[in-house]
Amino acid sequence: MENLVRREVIDTARTLVIKVGTNALAHDDDTLDVERVAHLADQLHAIRQSGRKVLLVSSGAVSAGMQLLGLAKRPRDLRHLQAAAATGQAHLMQLYDAALRRHGYHAAQMLLTGNDFKHRHRYLNVRNTLNTLFEFNVIPIINENDTVSVDELRTTFGDNDRLAAMVTNLIRAPLLVLLSDVSGLYDGDPADSRSKVVSTVSKLDESTWSLVRDKATGLSKGGMASKLEAARICTSAGENVII
């Protein structure tokens, strides 16, 4: 029955939001994996070929900027983080655009902050722009505007999982797919061979949250906790999430 529910959700969703994090786009040395970007573009093309609408929420700007600026590790101070994001975002979009052009698409960039969802006229402008982009041969690619977002002003999303969930609700997409460097939510430590992926979660209760075992990493601001929070945001509005 669980597999039937999953199949129905996937088959009936005509608009998809795909979110990819830094860890899923980077090599072990935290540099951007160009082949993964190209492979992701191939999958976005396959979705479009099936007659569906799709947009991508992508991290990776800071990682790409670190590589270009010759930084060995993620900066800790705000101004260097924003410099890396500004430099890397341009490079990241160039890679996406080049990969998508092989299939006849262009990448359409949108950089958002929390305030875009707090003010109604900005909220509607974002929604109208996305709906208009769906009319053309482009793939909308969204990222948090790290060059102007600062934690002190509380205008950041904290991670792109939450941003993806908010965008999913914004356009009322029935399905959000969160790509990760793990296979999904496990019933134990993912490093333990005895642990298994939980195929379907019908209710986000305390027992589900107790399965989270995130570890701090160098680049990613997300993790399974933020993915479950994204799922909570989406499912509370009637949408579905696949990790």
Side-chain angles (χ1 to χ4, degrees), residues 127-143:
R127 187 176 67 182
N128 290 338
T129 299
L130 287 173
N131 286 330
T132 303
L133 287 172
F134 286 140
E135 301 174 9
F136 296 94
N137 230 28
V138 300
I139 303 292
I141 299 179
I142 296 175
N143 196 358

Side-chain angles (χ1 to χ4, degrees), residues 34-44 99 102:
V34 178
E35 290 187 3
R36 288 188 185 179
V37 172
H39 186 52
L40 183 56
D42 294 341
Q43 295 176 71
L44 294 174
R102 294 189 295 108

Side-chain angles (χ1 to χ4, degrees), residues 147-168:
T147 60
V148 299
S149 298
V150 292
D151 287 330
E152 293 86 343
L153 296 179
R154 297 186 178 182
T155 58
T156 63
F157 300 99
D159 60 77
N160 273 347
D161 293 323
R162 183 164 175 257
L163 169 58
M166 295 170 72
V167 170
T168 301

Side-chain angles (χ1 to χ4, degrees), residues 200-208:
T200 305
V201 176
S202 57
K203 185 178 181 181
L204 280 169
D205 53 19
E206 187 175 336
S207 64
T208 305

Side-chain angles (χ1 to χ4, degrees), residues 178 185 198 200-212 224-237 239-241 243:
L178 299 171
L185 176 66
V198 180
T200 305
V201 176
S202 57
K203 185 178 181 181
L204 280 169
D205 53 19
E206 187 175 336
S207 64
T208 305
W209 285 99
S210 68
L211 300 176
V212 175
M224 192 54 64
S226 70
K227 288 173 176 53
L228 289 185
E229 174 61 17
R232 184 195 64 77
I233 294 172
C234 284
T235 55
S236 65
E239 281 99 36
N240 304 279
V241 178
I243 301 174

Side-chain angles (χ1 to χ4, degrees), residues 44-52 54 105 136-139:
L44 294 174
H45 168 62
I47 294 173
R48 284 290 297 265
Q49 287 292 98
S50 69
R52 305 167 190 239
V54 62
Y105 308 104
F136 296 94
N137 230 28
V138 300
I139 303 292

